[in-house]
Amino acid sequence: MDQVATLQLESADLQSSRNNLEHHTQEMGVKRLTVRRGQLFYLRLSFSRPFQSQSDHITFVAETGPKPSELLGTRATFFLTRIRPGNVWSASDFIIDSNSLHVSLFTPANAVIGHYILKIELSQGQGHSVTYPLGTFILLFNPWSPEDDVYLPSEILLQEYVMQDYGFVYKGHERFITSWPWNYGQFEEDIIDICFEILNKSLHYLKNPAKDCSQRNDVVYVCRVVSAMINSNDDNGVLQGNWSEDYSKGVSPLEWNGSVAILRHWSARGGQPVKYGQCWVFASVMCTVMRCLGVPTRVVSNFRSAHNVDRNLTIDTYYDRNAEMLSTQKRDKIWNFHVWNECWMIRKDLPPGYNGWQVLDPTPQQTSSGLFCCGPASVKAIREGDVHLAYDTPFVYAEVNADEVIWLLRDGQAQEILAHNTSSIGKEISTKMVGSDQHQSITSSYKYPEGSPEERAVFMKASRKMLGPQRASSPFLDLLESGGLRDEPAQLQLHLARIPEWGQDLQLLLRIRRVPDSTHPQGPIGLVVRFCAQALLHRGGTRKPLWRHTVRLNLDFGKETQWPLLLPYSNYRSKLTDEKLIRVSGIAEVEETGRSMLVLKDISLEPPHLSIEVSERAEVGKVLRVHVTLTNTLMVALSSCTMVLEGSGLVSGQITKDLGTLVAGHTLQIQLDLYPTKAGPRQLQVLISSNEVKEIKGYKDIFVTAAGAP
């Protein structure tokens, strides 16, 4: 009998076009194989002769990481079988077609993610084996697989939280929320490589590369590594934070349009941190990385967010009798807003009931297990006050639930409590609404309704866990449980008389109503109301006063008085931060008793608006004419104007254009031609910045049809 010729591999087709489409990775390109764990993918192997299953033996080998090991889960060997054997590495359902072998490969839903090398070993009988490389592939988390820890059972939500490559960050003030368009760009061809480069520059990897890679099957572990690596406090992370208002050595956080430019800049410079980021930049970049790796992720804004370092669940702020908010050496602050991420996952490390959305916060605020990272903290655990559960739940709980105590200082001493606010922190917690450009409040997923019995019960439960038994009878808790502090003889409110625009005088209205109190149940009272306006910093501090005003009035019982106030543009023109926020404070002193009352109004100034129009239908490869229009509605010129355009699938990288000076009252019209490269829903982001106003932003949703589509 003639000896059968040795089986030799002549070629391997990884069928990346077909596989990438079925694995929802086609947006990353089809030049290489990118698949998701827990799902079949298909190969075609061409041999020197027909494959004979009785005598020819094929062993598949898949390896990832620096020292692949079956013990660590970074190396897998598996044989050709007729039937797939379950949630393990396997090659099955093969079809012999002449000299070709069609085979289905399966990766377990708990496999390590990463770049893999795929090989086969061929042998006949007891003879020696020959190894052939088949190629490489990238393995990602799979939120479409019910066996994966990141499984999300809704195609609509998967499209929003994994596939959508643009979105919004919400900024400003809880009563004036502004949409900030952002280009996530997670499917740009080089971003997936940069994401793994981030993992490979972490301190965990540098300390023990093999062990670090072996833990990349665990989404909780990967999330914590990414959270630490987006900031650069411990390592060569992606972004360097800067809250100093001096951005001369880098890019202002307000001038970023998206994540792609930041990630490419970091990679191109060998992993040197990019200057600069603040919370919304950190969170948006993390959203890009996590969506790219296959973890459903969204960006969340918490308005009036507590930074409670000493974990006592109170934030103290101080005013003097002239209504000036005073600076303090304490690190505890109330940020105007703070932005973090939520990632969707099963928490096998926690008791049942805490799966779903988890908070992850890459902004460097405090250390967790020795590194500047935060989370994952179960949103359900935060709502229920289960602050003992990992990770960093007490810190996040305080961000949305701490109480605010406002003190009046006299002669450097805190002499009077002006207000004890149990519901002023954690307002309008917002994220992008699914399938819409609008924001959605998700406050109810973080806490019960403010002031409800459930909310106060949860607060007391969390307080006792965080303060400990030795402080269970603290003055703070006694104050908390005693309810209201005191009654006031008048009600004060500050209102805006018209929409506040940067560059215009601000018109306010003080409304005062006399109400009965224990000291003066019926009679008239005299009030001296001292006002102060200060630039409000993002992290809760203020600058020196930019405007003061005093009002004296007498108030009869049951009567209401209105008093107009004018804050001229000339007072604040050069005094604000780039975020254009003003705090107007008023302290009313009752002449008969010397007691004081506080009224506050935070004002977010609107920048000029720009409009973006496209003149025809958008189609891949065909010219798309874009018109950008900006009218300077301010009283002053906008100098050194520059425009940056960005948008995955519409613009390759960024388009930057110098626009010069835009005189007050004049209109700027810009026309550009774009050539879309990807079909489907896209978003064009436009940023115009000037010396006077850093963030004039706009966007245009554009649906791009495939080339040649009718």
Side-chain angles (χ1 to χ4, degrees):
M1 183 177 174
D2 293 336
Q3 186 175 356
V4 176
T6 302
L7 187 69
Q8 296 178 327
L9 180 71
E10 294 191 339
S11 66
D13 179 5
L14 301 186
Q15 300 189 28
S16 56
S17 293
R18 173 193 177 184
N19 288 319
N20 289 10
L21 181 64
E22 293 185 5
H23 285 249
H24 308 278
T25 61
Q26 73 278 11
E27 286 276 315
M28 296 181 184
V30 294
K31 293 177 183 175
R32 55 182 177 173
L33 180 62
T34 306
V35 294
R36 300 185 186 277
R37 62 189 196 175
Q39 185 175 339
L40 291 167
F41 64 97
Y42 307 97
L43 311 179
R44 188 179 74 236
L45 307 179
S46 298
F47 296 110
S48 55
R49 61 166 175 78
F51 173 75
Q52 296 178 3
S53 57
Q54 293 83 7
S55 56
D56 295 324
H57 301 295
I58 302 180
T59 302
F60 288 83
V61 181
E63 297 177 331
T64 187
K67 294 180 181 178
S69 156
E70 293 194 29
L71 186 65
L72 292 174
T74 50
R75 184 176 194 269
T77 58
F78 47 101
F79 309 103
L80 198 60
T81 58
R82 286 284 179 191
I83 301 171
R84 186 164 69 83
N87 189 35
V88 293
W89 289 87
S90 62
S92 61
D93 305 321
F94 61 89
I95 299 171
I96 301 168
D97 177 17
S98 186
N99 285 14
S100 295
L101 179 70
H102 299 262
V103 62
S104 303
L105 264 61
F106 182 81
T107 61
N110 60 349
V112 167
I113 64 164
H115 287 83
Y116 277 82
I117 297 170
L118 186 62
K119 301 178 283 191
I120 56 170
E121 296 171 355
L122 297 180
S123 63
Q124 289 169 273
Q126 299 299 314
H128 72 282
S129 63
V130 179
T131 300
Y132 294 91
L134 298 184
T136 61
F137 67 93
I138 299 171
L139 189 63
L140 303 175
F141 292 109
N142 191 355
W144 282 267
S145 168
E147 305 301 318
D148 199 305
D149 285 350
V150 300
Y151 175 57
L152 181 58
S154 164
E155 186 59 34
I156 293 172
L157 298 184
L158 287 164
Q159 290 301 316
E160 181 73 48
Y161 298 131
V162 179
M163 300 302 292
Q164 187 84 282
D165 63 1
Y166 60 86
F168 297 92
V169 179
Y170 298 102
K171 300 174 59 182
H173 187 268
E174 79 264 20
R175 291 195 188 93
F176 193 81
I177 296 173
T178 55
S179 299
W180 181 268
W182 193 270
N183 180 39
Y184 296 124
Q186 69 267 33
F187 299 127
E188 296 289 305
E189 285 198 30
D190 54 342
I191 295 301
I192 183 65
D193 297 311
I194 297 173
C195 290
F196 283 108
E197 189 181 343
I198 289 169
L199 296 181
N200 290 346
K201 281 198 162 56
S202 76
L203 295 180
H204 298 282
Y205 183 89
L206 297 175
K207 182 179 179 182
N208 190 334
K211 182 183 178 185
D212 173 73
C213 285
S214 75
Q215 292 178 279
R216 293 182 187 175
N217 65 324
D218 178 5
V219 64
V220 171
Y221 178 81
V222 172
C223 282
R224 281 182 67 75
V225 171
V226 173
S227 172
M229 278 300 296
I230 297 300
N231 69 72
S232 62
N233 282 40
D234 310 291
D235 41 46
N236 283 334
V238 176
L239 280 158
Q240 181 176 326
N242 185 343
W243 289 267
S244 72
E245 301 293 319
D246 177 9
Y247 309 119
S248 56
K249 293 182 180 178
V251 176
S252 163
L254 293 167
E255 293 183 43
W256 297 113
N257 260 350
S259 307
V260 176
I262 294 168
L263 290 167
R264 285 176 173 165
H265 189 56
W266 176 82
S267 179
R269 294 175 68 241
Q272 290 299 305
V274 177
K275 301 175 180 178
Y276 293 104
Q278 288 182 9
C279 63
W280 67 90
V281 187
F282 290 117
S284 298
V285 172
M286 182 161 182
C287 184
T288 295
V289 173
M290 298 316 299
R291 285 186 184 181
C292 187
L293 295 176
V295 181
T297 304
R298 61 189 186 185
V299 174
V300 173
S301 297
N302 177 39
F303 291 91
R304 289 189 55 80
S305 185
H307 182 81
N308 188 211
V309 177
D310 58 16
R311 291 173 51 140
N312 68 350
L313 284 175
T314 53
I315 307 291
D316 297 308
T317 51
Y318 302 91
Y319 288 83
D320 67 14
R321 66 189 300 267
N322 296 312
E324 179 181 345
M325 183 179 171
L326 304 172
S327 61
T328 171
Q329 297 304 310
K330 287 187 175 183
R331 291 173 59 202
D332 283 14
K333 292 283 192 301
I334 302 171
W335 294 21
N336 303 326
F337 66 91
H338 182 48
V339 184
W340 58 65
N341 301 100
E342 286 179 2
C343 294
W344 181 273
M345 68 189 74
I346 290 171
R347 290 296 301 273
K348 292 177 178 174
D349 59 321
L350 299 183
Y354 298 97
N355 299 332
W357 290 116
Q358 314 286 321
V359 171
L360 285 129
D361 189 349
T363 299
Q365 297 181 89
Q366 66 167 20
T367 58
S368 173
S369 301
L371 295 177
F372 277 93
C373 66
C374 179
S378 164
V379 174
K380 176 74 177 300
I382 295 162
R383 188 173 195 256
E384 299 301 331
D386 294 325
V387 293
H388 59 289
L389 298 176
Y391 290 87
D392 309 305
T393 310
F395 185 78
V396 183
Y397 180 86
E399 286 183 301
V400 300
N401 283 297
D403 281 6
E404 178 186 23
V405 179
I406 302 176
W407 298 85
L408 178 66
L409 252 63
R410 284 195 177 98
D411 302 322
Q413 298 293 318
Q415 293 206 340
E416 189 177 344
I417 293 179
L418 293 170
H420 169 222
N421 298 324
T422 61
S423 60
S424 65
I425 287 171
K427 308 293 285 184
E428 287 297 322
I429 304 172
S430 300
T431 192
K432 179 184 175 297
M433 189 179 291
V434 175
S436 166
D437 288 353
Q438 302 301 309
H439 80 272
Q440 172 189 0
S441 174
I442 55 171
T443 311
S444 61
S445 65
Y446 279 84
K447 52 187 176 180
Y448 290 95
E450 292 284 6
S452 67
E454 295 90 346
E455 184 264 342
R456 284 289 96 183
V458 166
F459 189 91
M460 296 309 302
K461 169 184 168 184
S463 300
R464 292 203 150 78
K465 286 181 180 175
M466 291 171 68
L467 296 173
Q470 71 278 11
R471 294 171 65 188
S473 60
S474 69
F476 159 64
L477 285 178
D478 296 340
L479 171 72
L480 182 65
E481 291 180 311
S482 68
L485 290 169
R486 62 180 190 183
D487 53 352
E488 304 285 8
Q491 294 172 345
L492 288 79
Q493 290 181 317
L494 272 172
H495 297 273
L496 284 163
R498 67 179 186 191
I499 293 174
E501 293 183 272
W502 193 88
Q504 306 288 339
D505 294 344
L506 303 180
Q507 296 179 7
L508 296 104
L509 200 62
L510 172 67
R511 286 184 181 154
I512 309 180
R513 181 177 176 81
R514 172 77 172 94
V515 292
D517 70 310
S518 56
T519 310
H520 289 88
Q522 296 291 332
I525 57 170
L527 293 178
V528 178
V529 190
R530 298 177 178 89
F531 291 99
C532 177
Q534 296 167 274
L536 191 56
L537 307 179
H538 172 61
R539 296 208 290 181
T542 52
R543 287 183 170 175
K544 291 294 182 186
L546 54 88
W547 173 83
R548 293 186 187 274
H549 189 69
T550 303
V551 173
R552 285 183 168 80
L553 32 86
N554 292 309
L555 205 57
D556 289 327
F557 180 74
K559 295 294 177 65
E560 182 175 302
T561 299
Q562 296 191 11
W563 196 280
L565 300 168
L566 183 73
L567 202 170
Y569 168 59
S570 57
N571 279 69
Y572 71 78
R573 175 178 177 175
S574 59
K575 303 288 178 60
L576 302 188
T577 70
D578 290 338
E579 296 209 44
K580 307 289 187 267
L581 282 165
I582 298 175
R583 170 161 292 175
V584 178
S585 315
I587 288 186
E589 188 174 316
V590 182
E591 291 182 324
E592 288 79 4
T593 64
R595 277 175 46 183
S596 300
M597 297 174 289
L598 176 71
V599 62
L600 296 173
K601 185 72 175 178
D602 290 344
I603 302 170
S604 178
L605 301 182
E606 277 218 38
H609 294 274
L610 59 83
S611 69
I612 308 161
E613 299 297 333
V614 292
S615 54
E616 59 273 291
R617 191 180 79 152
E619 183 179 332
V620 170
K622 287 198 173 180
V623 65
L624 177 67
R625 186 150 290 175
V626 177
H627 302 271
V628 180
T629 305
L630 172 65
T631 299
N632 183 0
T633 56
L634 308 183
M635 296 160 61
V636 295
L638 298 175
S639 58
S640 302
C641 296
T642 59
M643 180 177 70
V644 179
L645 281 83
E646 195 167 324
S648 290
L650 296 171
V651 178
S652 177
Q654 293 178 319
I655 296 173
T656 304
K657 200 174 181 70
D658 289 325
L659 305 176
T661 297
L662 179 56
V663 177
H666 284 222
T667 297
L668 194 64
Q669 293 184 316
I670 307 125
Q671 181 177 295
L672 301 105
D673 289 341
L674 306 180
Y675 293 86
T677 57
K678 289 182 178 180
R682 303 290 161 195
Q683 188 184 83
L684 180 67
Q685 295 96 14
V686 179
L687 167 70
I688 295 179
S689 60
S690 67
N691 290 337
E692 291 72 22
V693 183
K694 291 295 183 192
E695 47 173 330
I696 304 172
K697 289 204 86 167
Y699 71 95
K700 184 73 173 177
D701 291 333
I702 300 170
F703 188 86
V704 181
T705 60

